[in-house]
Amino acid sequence: MTMDLIASPQLLFSALVLGAGYALVGLGLNLVYGTMRLLNVGHGDLVMLGAYVAFWCFALTGLPPPLAAPLAAALGVLLAEALHRGLLHRLLGAGAERIEANSLLVFFGLSIIVQNLAALAFTASPRALRTLDDVVHVAGVAMTESRIVILLVALAVCGGVLIGLRATVWGLAIKAVIDNGRAAAVVGVDVPRVRRLALWAGFAIAGLAGALLAMVEQIGPFMGFPYTIAAFVVIILGGLGRLGGGVVAGLLLGFVQVYGVALTAPTFSSMLLYGTFVAVLLLRPQGLARAARIRS
Amino acid sequence: MTPRAGIAAGAALALAGAVPWLVGPYGLTIALNAAMWVALTVSWSILGGTAAYISLGHVAFYGLGAYVVVTSWQVLPLVVAVPLGGLVAGAFALTIGWPVLRVRGPYFVILTLGIAELVKYAVLNVEAALGASSRLLFGVPDNRTLYLATLGLAVLAIIVAALVRRSRLGAGLVAVREDEVTAETIGVPIGRYKVFAFALSAVIPGMVGGLMALRSAYFEPLQVFNPVISFTIVTMAVVGGAADARGPILGALLLVVVSELLWANAPQGYMIALGVLLIGFVVFAPGGITGALARPRP
């Protein structure tokens, strides 16, 4: 019976969807951390805000979440810019190690503030979207439309960013800043502008991911933290600035969680996520620091 | 300690001990909160203040202590159960300490946060398997007794933290904060020191957790392992200034006042205030209040 379960294409599909979502969320954090060394523990809260954008767009105007996703991304850009002007220029003046340590506590504070503002504005009770839940059968696998959309959009965005980083001037500049900010500045890359662009992109991707995930997750002010943890697993496992590695790591985490739950019980879902996170950090105790140091 | 400071400390202690006979039930709950947060924050600073290893997972120790007291309720007498909760928390810290404390800087911070969540969900699963989603405790000690016990723990935490700061261990931990690699190079046994301090900083929070489970007479894993507790500890320490021995006490007392002003009417407002204070101090006064007072700006 267990073998049937493991071999079931249904489970494979679930793991792919979850993993693609994680890869997308992790991609955003990778851009932000890679270029600015900002450990944004509030990254998951951007996912939460994106989910609320999708919820309210649908509840008020009937706009389906995939169409609300660009709005959620735009909100991400706005927040990135506000943050950049308000706080980050102060933090970014210090050296890399200081930035990491300070940014963590600052973002943790921001995360708490955003979560509680959301709880004040939208109440703490979770909500759910019921849309695009028609079932489509593809090769004998029952898929809801929403999950197909999540999988396709997540893969398209990850693929698009991956290609954009190799094929455009801005993309190459971002890669250069991730690899070595000082050297990038020497060869004429406008580092502050590139960082800002990466911050915009990272926040936008997180908001977009939230709007998509709103179709399958419970929406609540405190839903973000598991995504923050997943994003850290993705970038620590996948490697700093290695977006391809991040996609693989995201999928891997999705598989661990979906197959782990299938073999045990749904209540183990959170333990699998946090357990993977703890295991990844214990196996790579230097986190991203060594990778960053070797490159810079 | 100078004679004058000694007298002041003695007077403060006498006053704190007399609180149950001086104030009403509401005043007593505030005093209990103050004693609890001082005990937690000062214990946290044994590693967090000296070595600047910022644990965002101290709620795990608090929760484990509470869990020990709750599961041994009416099996073990409380004078055994509460210290046992502290020992279990300390033993847990000792066990995870070796691998966990190899992780440095900001990664240590998020790792501890992840571990606390992992412990929370582990306990939730155990409770679900036992068929106990929440537990009620009947016949718990009254608030006066709990306050005096918690005050005792707060005083104990202050004494232990002061002794650590004066010892070779404390000097080694400060060296770790200043430059861990150099400290290791000149022969400071940083591994042993960090693990020992981590375990030491977990014992009293374990006991405090046990007492607080008795206070609420109710046990629910999501409440006892709430990461907000860890966040509050860190904010109190940062606001007071964790590098100074008095900082955590000052920060805890100050935020208990803020909490009383806001918590009842606006719990979310209190959390937002904590977030604003944390950011404000990290960005503008990283040494906290004590740091800002000790080194006035030029």
Side-chain angles (χ1 to χ4, degrees), chain A residues 1-8 263:
Chain A
M1 180 254 159
T2 318
M3 275 320 290
D4 286 352
L5 193 68
I6 300 290
S8 126
L263 291 173

Coordinates of all heavy atoms in Angstrom, one line a residue, chain A residues 1-8 263:
Chain A
M1 N 0.9 -1.2 0.0 CA 0.0 0.0 0.0 C 0.9 1.2 0.0 O 0.6 2.2 -0.7 CB -0.9 -0.1 1.2 CG -1.9 1.1 1.4 SD -1.3 2.2 2.7 CE -2.2 3.7 2.2
T2 N 1.9 1.2 0.8 CA 2.8 2.3 0.9 C 3.5 2.5 -0.4 O 3.7 3.7 -0.9 CB 3.9 2.0 2.0 OG1 3.3 1.5 3.1 CG2 4.6 3.3 2.4
M3 N 3.9 1.5 -1.1 CA 4.5 1.6 -2.4 C 3.6 2.3 -3.4 O 4.0 3.2 -4.2 CB 5.0 0.2 -3.0 CG 6.3 -0.3 -2.4 SD 7.6 1.0 -2.3 CE 7.9 1.3 -4.1
D4 N 2.4 1.9 -3.4 CA 1.4 2.5 -4.3 C 1.3 4.0 -4.1 O 1.3 4.8 -5.0 CB 0.0 2.0 -4.0 CG -0.1 0.5 -4.6 OD1 0.8 0.1 -5.3 OD2 -1.2 -0.1 -4.4
L5 N 1.4 4.3 -2.8 CA 1.3 5.8 -2.4 C 2.5 6.5 -2.9 O 2.4 7.6 -3.5 CB 1.2 5.8 -0.8 CG 0.9 7.2 -0.3 CD1 -0.6 7.5 -0.6 CD2 1.1 7.1 1.2
I6 N 3.7 5.9 -2.7 CA 4.9 6.6 -3.1 C 4.9 6.8 -4.6 O 5.4 7.8 -5.1 CB 6.1 5.8 -2.7 CG1 6.2 5.6 -1.2 CG2 7.4 6.4 -3.2 CD1 6.5 6.9 -0.4
A7 N 4.4 5.8 -5.3 CA 4.5 5.8 -6.8 C 3.4 6.6 -7.4 O 3.3 6.8 -8.6 CB 4.5 4.4 -7.3
S8 N 2.4 7.1 -6.6 CA 1.3 7.8 -7.1 C 1.6 9.1 -7.8 O 2.3 9.9 -7.2 CB 0.2 8.0 -6.0 OG -0.2 9.3 -5.9
L263 N 3.8 9.5 4.4 CA 4.3 8.3 5.1 C 4.0 8.4 6.6 O 4.0 7.3 7.2 CB 5.8 8.2 4.9 CG 6.3 7.9 3.5 CD1 7.8 7.9 3.4 CD2 5.8 6.5 3.1

